[in-house]
Amino acid sequence: MPADLLTTSDLLRSVFRRHAAGVAVVTARGDAGPVGFTATSLASVSADPPLLSFGVGTGASSWPALAGADHVGVHVLGEHQQELAATFARSGADRFGAPTAWREGPEGVPVLDGVLAWLVGRVVARVPAGDHRIVIAEVVHGDPTGTGRPLLYHQGRFRRLGD
């Protein structure tokens, strides 16, 4: 479709399909157990204090738990974790069942095993943004020592980083 005929929502989606993004999984502890989803909207916000942000749709199955969570986990996925990314992106999937390997981490947040890096953040704000909320969290724990290369999302697919 010619660009001048796209709705602004379609235009936004079309442009961001061309933007390669790192892939993360966000987790939290809900009343009924752990919740999580795949995110490509992860961003560093501030170094002092150490703040990060991500977007989450208010219609997402994990939103009710995230709306009330004091802490969240953010996991940077490696290129070997395409299936894990797909599991956490799939509606209705048993995200924390086998083969997902995880443990209870600091502040009771589910921490995924085998990731490149993970952080636990204390939620400091949930900013309304259309049909999403931008969650801002202050980093309080983490581990940057995983090995490998990052998983990317581009043109609607998970991809490996090229040299």
Side-chain angles (χ1 to χ4, degrees):
M1 178 178 284
D4 60 340
L5 297 179
L6 292 173
T7 67
T8 52
S9 295
D10 289 336
L11 176 60
L12 179 72
R13 285 187 201 94
S14 293
V15 168
F16 273 87
R17 279 188 195 103
R18 296 174 184 271
H19 173 71
V23 181
V25 167
V26 175
T27 61
R29 173 65 61 187
D31 291 338
V35 299
F37 68 97
T38 299
T40 57
S41 59
L42 180 63
S44 171
V45 174
S46 168
D48 188 19
L51 299 175
L52 61 84
S53 71
F54 59 87
V56 57
T58 56
S61 61
S62 56
W63 172 243
L66 286 165
D70 293 329
H71 292 84
V72 294
V74 175
H75 307 80
V76 177
L77 300 190
E79 61 186 11
H80 63 288
Q81 295 178 302
Q82 290 185 27
E83 285 302 315
L84 183 66
T87 296
F88 276 83
R90 192 175 311 115
S91 181
D94 181 5
R95 295 172 177 156
F96 290 91
T100 301
W102 66 281
R103 66 190 181 285
E104 185 173 311
E107 311 299 338
V109 172
V111 173
L112 302 175
D113 293 340
V115 297
L116 297 187
W118 60 266
L119 297 166
V120 170
R122 179 181 58 82
V123 175
V124 297
R126 293 173 185 88
V127 181
D131 61 355
H132 279 61
R133 295 295 181 267
I134 298 169
V135 177
I136 301 172
E138 182 174 4
V139 175
V140 293
H141 302 281
D143 182 355
T145 61
T147 60
R149 293 162 48 116
L151 181 62
L152 299 179
Y153 190 74
H154 181 251
Q155 294 285 35
R157 292 183 41 213
F158 296 116
R159 300 184 184 265
R160 297 173 185 262
L161 183 65
D163 289 84

